[in-house]
């Protein structure tokens, strides 16, 4: 099965986001395909390069960015990112902006896991 993982939760809770990342790892280990990780709402801030080194948020971000090594796109809702007061140049390397059109295409072709 092919999944798109939609992450909405703010990066304040390390354990919660580690659970999300572990779930993605489990899917990959069972030969499931992840079409993309899509960060929206408060989770868009997970992809800001403004996190202090070794902070909880930086650890969450590193964990998610590791999935790009599997060829999984790390996508961020541009509107959500801007609504958090972040600018385009604040987006971390390895992630890219995406919008509702791309997300709708994923919804049509993939099972959805939403956190």
């Amino acid at each position: 099965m092919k999944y798109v993982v939609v992450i909405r939760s703010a990066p304040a809770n390390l354990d919660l986001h580690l659970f999300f990342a572990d779930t993605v790892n489990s899917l990959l280990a069972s030969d499931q395909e992840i079409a993309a990780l899509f960060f929206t709402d408060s989770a868009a801030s997970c992809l800001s390069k403004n996190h202090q080194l070794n902070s909880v948020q930086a650890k969450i971000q590193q964990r998610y960015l590791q999935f790009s090594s599997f060829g999984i796109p790390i996508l961020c809702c541009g509107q959500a990112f801007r609504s958090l007061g972040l600018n385009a140049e604040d987006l971390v390397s390895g992630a890219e902006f995406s919008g509702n059109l791309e997300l709708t295409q994923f919804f049509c072709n993939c099972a959805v896991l939403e956190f």
Side-chain angles (χ1 to χ4, degrees), residues 49-86:
K49 64 181 175 184
N50 297 330
H51 296 301
Q52 186 178 27
L53 189 63
N54 294 320
S55 67
V56 168
Q57 293 83 0
K59 290 176 184 178
I60 291 168
Q61 183 182 86
Q62 289 173 328
R63 185 77 189 272
Y64 286 128
L65 290 175
Q66 291 175 350
F67 291 116
S68 66
S69 67
F70 293 96
I72 299 170
I74 309 298
L75 306 176
C76 183
C77 175
Q79 182 176 356
F81 200 74
R82 286 186 301 280
S83 75
L84 295 168
L86 299 164

